[in-house]
mmCIF file of all heavy atoms in Angstrom:
data_model
loop_
_atom_site.group_PDB
_atom_site.id
_atom_site.type_symbol
_atom_site.label_atom_id
_atom_site.label_comp_id
_atom_site.label_asym_id
_atom_site.label_seq_id
_atom_site.Cartn_x
_atom_site.Cartn_y
_atom_site.Cartn_z
ATOM 1 N N ARG A 1 6.643 83.542 54.187
ATOM 2 C CA ARG A 1 7.267 84.511 53.296
ATOM 3 C C ARG A 1 8.691 84.070 52.990
ATOM 4 O O ARG A 1 9.456 83.721 53.886
ATOM 5 C CB ARG A 1 7.278 85.882 53.958
ATOM 6 C CG ARG A 1 7.840 86.996 53.069
ATOM 7 C CD ARG A 1 7.857 88.312 53.819
ATOM 8 N NE ARG A 1 8.708 88.247 54.993
ATOM 9 C CZ ARG A 1 8.600 89.028 56.061
ATOM 10 N NH1 ARG A 1 7.634 89.921 56.119
ATOM 11 N NH2 ARG A 1 9.409 88.891 57.082
ATOM 12 N N PRO A 2 9.085 84.094 51.719
ATOM 13 C CA PRO A 2 10.443 83.683 51.363
ATOM 14 C C PRO A 2 11.478 84.680 51.859
ATOM 15 O O PRO A 2 11.171 85.855 52.103
ATOM 16 C CB PRO A 2 10.408 83.622 49.829
ATOM 17 C CG PRO A 2 9.312 84.558 49.441
ATOM 18 C CD PRO A 2 8.297 84.478 50.537
ATOM 19 N N SER A 3 12.674 84.190 52.031
ATOM 20 C CA SER A 3 13.789 85.045 52.451
ATOM 21 C C SER A 3 14.758 85.191 51.284
ATOM 22 O O SER A 3 15.049 84.205 50.588
ATOM 23 C CB SER A 3 14.500 84.407 53.657
ATOM 24 O OG SER A 3 15.545 85.227 54.099
ATOM 25 N N PRO A 4 15.276 86.408 51.045
ATOM 26 C CA PRO A 4 15.044 87.641 51.798
ATOM 27 C C PRO A 4 13.670 88.256 51.520
ATOM 28 O O PRO A 4 13.009 87.879 50.549
ATOM 29 C CB PRO A 4 16.153 88.562 51.289
ATOM 30 C CG PRO A 4 16.395 88.104 49.883
ATOM 31 C CD PRO A 4 16.214 86.614 49.924
ATOM 32 N N ASN A 5 13.286 89.192 52.383
ATOM 33 C CA ASN A 5 12.015 89.891 52.237
ATOM 34 C C ASN A 5 12.185 90.994 51.202
ATOM 35 O O ASN A 5 12.606 92.106 51.521
ATOM 36 C CB ASN A 5 11.584 90.474 53.586
ATOM 37 C CG ASN A 5 10.259 91.235 53.486
ATOM 38 O OD1 ASN A 5 9.607 91.223 52.443
ATOM 39 N ND2 ASN A 5 9.888 91.899 54.561
ATOM 40 N N CYS A 6 11.841 90.692 49.968
ATOM 41 C CA CYS A 6 12.062 91.643 48.880
ATOM 42 C C CYS A 6 11.115 92.837 48.951
ATOM 43 O O CYS A 6 11.278 93.807 48.200
ATOM 44 C CB CYS A 6 11.902 90.941 47.531
ATOM 45 S SG CYS A 6 13.100 89.628 47.257
ATOM 46 N N GLY A 7 10.133 92.783 49.842
ATOM 47 C CA GLY A 7 9.231 93.914 49.995
ATOM 48 C C GLY A 7 9.720 94.937 50.991
ATOM 49 O O GLY A 7 9.145 96.031 51.095
ATOM 50 N N ALA A 8 10.775 94.617 51.726
ATOM 51 C CA ALA A 8 11.307 95.535 52.726
ATOM 52 C C ALA A 8 12.162 96.604 52.059
ATOM 53 O O ALA A 8 12.917 96.324 51.113
ATOM 54 C CB ALA A 8 12.129 94.783 53.762
ATOM 55 N N LEU A 9 12.049 97.821 52.543
ATOM 56 C CA LEU A 9 12.796 98.939 51.987
ATOM 57 C C LEU A 9 14.298 98.696 52.136
ATOM 58 O O LEU A 9 14.786 98.345 53.211
ATOM 59 C CB LEU A 9 12.401 100.233 52.706
ATOM 60 C CG LEU A 9 12.996 101.531 52.161
ATOM 61 C CD1 LEU A 9 12.504 101.779 50.738
ATOM 62 C CD2 LEU A 9 12.631 102.713 53.063
ATOM 63 N N GLY A 10 15.033 98.876 51.048
ATOM 64 C CA GLY A 10 16.484 98.738 51.075
ATOM 65 C C GLY A 10 16.988 97.333 50.853
ATOM 66 O O GLY A 10 18.210 97.106 50.805
ATOM 67 N N THR A 11 16.097 96.349 50.720
ATOM 68 C CA THR A 11 16.519 94.962 50.506
ATOM 69 C C THR A 11 16.877 94.745 49.045
ATOM 70 O O THR A 11 16.136 95.146 48.142
ATOM 71 C CB THR A 11 15.403 93.983 50.906
ATOM 72 O OG1 THR A 11 15.058 94.193 52.269
ATOM 73 C CG2 THR A 11 15.859 92.542 50.721
ATOM 74 N N THR A 12 18.027 94.139 48.808
ATOM 75 C CA THR A 12 18.469 93.824 47.450
ATOM 76 C C THR A 12 18.187 92.360 47.166
ATOM 77 O O THR A 12 18.582 91.480 47.943
ATOM 78 C CB THR A 12 19.967 94.096 47.286
ATOM 79 O OG1 THR A 12 20.222 95.482 47.566
ATOM 80 C CG2 THR A 12 20.420 93.773 45.869
ATOM 81 N N CYS A 13 17.490 92.091 46.064
ATOM 82 C CA CYS A 13 17.110 90.725 45.707
ATOM 83 C C CYS A 13 17.530 90.425 44.278
ATOM 84 O O CYS A 13 17.525 91.309 43.414
ATOM 85 C CB CYS A 13 15.604 90.522 45.844
ATOM 86 S SG CYS A 13 14.969 90.645 47.526
ATOM 87 N N THR A 14 17.863 89.169 44.030
ATOM 88 C CA THR A 14 18.108 88.720 42.668
ATOM 89 C C THR A 14 16.764 88.563 41.965
ATOM 90 O O THR A 14 15.706 88.487 42.627
ATOM 91 C CB THR A 14 18.844 87.380 42.659
ATOM 92 O OG1 THR A 14 17.976 86.364 43.221
ATOM 93 C CG2 THR A 14 20.134 87.452 43.486
ATOM 94 N N PRO A 15 16.757 88.506 40.629
ATOM 95 C CA PRO A 15 15.489 88.295 39.934
ATOM 96 C C PRO A 15 14.765 87.033 40.383
ATOM 97 O O PRO A 15 13.531 87.029 40.521
ATOM 98 C CB PRO A 15 15.905 88.205 38.466
ATOM 99 C CG PRO A 15 17.142 89.049 38.382
ATOM 100 C CD PRO A 15 17.854 88.803 39.671
ATOM 101 N N ALA A 16 15.508 85.949 40.648
ATOM 102 C CA ALA A 16 14.885 84.700 41.092
ATOM 103 C C ALA A 16 14.275 84.865 42.483
ATOM 104 O O ALA A 16 13.185 84.354 42.766
ATOM 105 C CB ALA A 16 15.896 83.566 41.092
ATOM 106 N N GLU A 17 14.961 85.590 43.378
ATOM 107 C CA GLU A 17 14.430 85.829 44.719
ATOM 108 C C GLU A 17 13.172 86.700 44.664
ATOM 109 O O GLU A 17 12.213 86.474 45.400
ATOM 110 C CB GLU A 17 15.499 86.481 45.594
ATOM 111 C CG GLU A 17 16.640 85.539 45.954
ATOM 112 C CD GLU A 17 17.791 86.269 46.629
ATOM 113 O OE1 GLU A 17 17.892 87.513 46.464
ATOM 114 O OE2 GLU A 17 18.613 85.593 47.290
ATOM 115 N N LEU A 18 13.195 87.693 43.774
ATOM 116 C CA LEU A 18 12.024 88.549 43.622
ATOM 117 C C LEU A 18 10.842 87.761 43.062
ATOM 118 O O LEU A 18 9.689 87.993 43.446
ATOM 119 C CB LEU A 18 12.336 89.734 42.712
ATOM 120 C CG LEU A 18 11.192 90.731 42.483
ATOM 121 C CD1 LEU A 18 10.665 91.274 43.810
ATOM 122 C CD2 LEU A 18 11.643 91.876 41.579
ATOM 123 N N ALA A 19 11.123 86.794 42.178
ATOM 124 C CA ALA A 19 10.054 85.955 41.632
ATOM 125 C C ALA A 19 9.381 85.152 42.741
ATOM 126 O O ALA A 19 8.148 85.041 42.787
ATOM 127 C CB ALA A 19 10.612 85.022 40.566
ATOM 128 N N ALA A 20 10.175 84.605 43.650
ATOM 129 C CA ALA A 20 9.609 83.844 44.768
ATOM 130 C C ALA A 20 8.771 84.744 45.663
ATOM 131 O O ALA A 20 7.683 84.357 46.116
ATOM 132 C CB ALA A 20 10.742 83.186 45.564
ATOM 133 N N TYR A 21 9.269 85.952 45.914
ATOM 134 C CA TYR A 21 8.510 86.899 46.749
ATOM 135 C C TYR A 21 7.229 87.321 46.043
ATOM 136 O O TYR A 21 6.173 87.430 46.678
ATOM 137 C CB TYR A 21 9.374 88.119 47.059
ATOM 138 C CG TYR A 21 8.659 89.141 47.923
ATOM 139 C CD1 TYR A 21 8.631 89.018 49.306
ATOM 140 C CD2 TYR A 21 7.985 90.220 47.336
ATOM 141 C CE1 TYR A 21 7.958 89.941 50.096
ATOM 142 C CE2 TYR A 21 7.303 91.146 48.122
ATOM 143 C CZ TYR A 21 7.303 91.002 49.495
ATOM 144 O OH TYR A 21 6.624 91.914 50.271
ATOM 145 N N ASP A 22 7.308 87.555 44.726
ATOM 146 C CA ASP A 22 6.123 87.942 43.956
ATOM 147 C C ASP A 22 5.017 86.905 44.093
ATOM 148 O O ASP A 22 3.841 87.245 44.302
ATOM 149 C CB ASP A 22 6.475 88.102 42.474
ATOM 150 C CG ASP A 22 7.014 89.481 42.148
ATOM 151 O OD1 ASP A 22 6.822 90.403 42.967
ATOM 152 O OD2 ASP A 22 7.630 89.631 41.078
ATOM 153 N N LEU A 23 5.377 85.622 43.944
ATOM 154 C CA LEU A 23 4.369 84.570 44.014
ATOM 155 C C LEU A 23 3.759 84.465 45.404
ATOM 156 O O LEU A 23 2.556 84.249 45.546
ATOM 157 C CB LEU A 23 4.988 83.228 43.605
ATOM 158 C CG LEU A 23 5.327 83.086 42.121
ATOM 159 C CD1 LEU A 23 6.059 81.780 41.866
ATOM 160 C CD2 LEU A 23 4.065 83.163 41.254
ATOM 161 N N TRP A 24 4.593 84.624 46.435
ATOM 162 C CA TRP A 24 4.074 84.600 47.805
ATOM 163 C C TRP A 24 3.095 85.760 48.027
ATOM 164 O O TRP A 24 1.996 85.573 48.553
ATOM 165 C CB TRP A 24 5.231 84.686 48.797
ATOM 166 C CG TRP A 24 4.782 84.878 50.221
ATOM 167 C CD1 TRP A 24 4.345 83.921 51.085
ATOM 168 C CD2 TRP A 24 4.696 86.127 50.937
ATOM 169 N NE1 TRP A 24 3.996 84.479 52.296
ATOM 170 C CE2 TRP A 24 4.201 85.824 52.235
ATOM 171 C CE3 TRP A 24 4.995 87.451 50.613
ATOM 172 C CZ2 TRP A 24 4.002 86.811 53.203
ATOM 173 C CZ3 TRP A 24 4.784 88.432 51.571
ATOM 174 C CH2 TRP A 24 4.300 88.113 52.859
ATOM 175 N N GLU A 25 3.492 86.952 47.604
ATOM 176 C CA GLU A 25 2.650 88.124 47.809
ATOM 177 C C GLU A 25 1.384 88.034 46.966
ATOM 178 O O GLU A 25 0.287 88.395 47.421
ATOM 179 C CB GLU A 25 3.435 89.388 47.459
ATOM 180 C CG GLU A 25 2.710 90.679 47.799
ATOM 181 C CD GLU A 25 3.561 91.895 47.537
ATOM 182 O OE1 GLU A 25 4.106 92.023 46.415
ATOM 183 O OE2 GLU A 25 3.694 92.726 48.454
ATOM 184 N N TRP A 26 1.515 87.545 45.743
ATOM 185 C CA TRP A 26 0.359 87.452 44.849
ATOM 186 C C TRP A 26 -0.653 86.440 45.374
ATOM 187 O O TRP A 26 -1.859 86.665 45.306
ATOM 188 C CB TRP A 26 0.804 87.056 43.442
ATOM 189 C CG TRP A 26 -0.301 87.091 42.429
ATOM 190 C CD1 TRP A 26 -0.788 88.177 41.765
ATOM 191 C CD2 TRP A 26 -1.081 85.962 41.973
ATOM 192 N NE1 TRP A 26 -1.810 87.802 40.923
ATOM 193 C CE2 TRP A 26 -2.008 86.456 41.026
ATOM 194 C CE3 TRP A 26 -1.054 84.604 42.260
ATOM 195 C CZ2 TRP A 26 -2.915 85.626 40.378
ATOM 196 C CZ3 TRP A 26 -1.970 83.770 41.622
ATOM 197 C CH2 TRP A 26 -2.881 84.290 40.693
ATOM 198 N N GLU A 27 -0.157 85.334 45.908
ATOM 199 C CA GLU A 27 -1.079 84.344 46.462
ATOM 200 C C GLU A 27 -1.850 84.905 47.656
ATOM 201 O O GLU A 27 -3.022 84.582 47.857
ATOM 202 C CB GLU A 27 -0.333 83.079 46.881
ATOM 203 C CG GLU A 27 -1.288 81.979 47.352
ATOM 204 C CD GLU A 27 -0.560 80.777 47.908
ATOM 205 O OE1 GLU A 27 0.314 80.958 48.795
ATOM 206 O OE2 GLU A 27 -0.854 79.648 47.461
ATOM 207 N N ARG A 28 -1.210 85.753 48.431
ATOM 208 C CA ARG A 28 -1.906 86.379 49.553
ATOM 209 C C ARG A 28 -3.045 87.280 49.049
ATOM 210 O O ARG A 28 -4.104 87.359 49.670
ATOM 211 C CB ARG A 28 -0.913 87.178 50.405
ATOM 212 C CG ARG A 28 -0.016 86.290 51.242
ATOM 213 C CD ARG A 28 0.989 87.093 52.044
ATOM 214 N NE ARG A 28 0.352 88.003 52.995
ATOM 215 C CZ ARG A 28 -0.124 87.632 54.181
ATOM 216 N NH1 ARG A 28 -0.041 86.373 54.572
ATOM 217 N NH2 ARG A 28 -0.674 88.520 55.003
ATOM 218 N N LEU A 29 -2.830 87.938 47.911
ATOM 219 C CA LEU A 29 -3.912 88.715 47.307
ATOM 220 C C LEU A 29 -5.028 87.785 46.829
ATOM 221 O O LEU A 29 -6.218 88.072 47.006
ATOM 222 C CB LEU A 29 -3.385 89.542 46.132
ATOM 223 C CG LEU A 29 -2.392 90.649 46.464
ATOM 224 C CD1 LEU A 29 -1.876 91.293 45.167
ATOM 225 C CD2 LEU A 29 -3.031 91.707 47.356
#
């Protein structure tokens, strides 16, 4: 999982960081 954990409550992510988290989470699906 990329850091920071954009799925954690209260975590602030940049759009680029959220994109990395999205791809990680989507691949798990």
Side-chain angles (χ1 to χ4, degrees):
R1 183 182 62 204
S3 182
N5 179 7
C6 298
L9 185 64
T11 302
T12 301
C13 295
T14 66
E17 290 171 339
L18 181 56
Y21 180 84
D22 275 343
L23 289 174
W24 171 81
E25 187 176 52
W26 187 82
E27 185 186 52
R28 286 178 62 80
L29 294 175

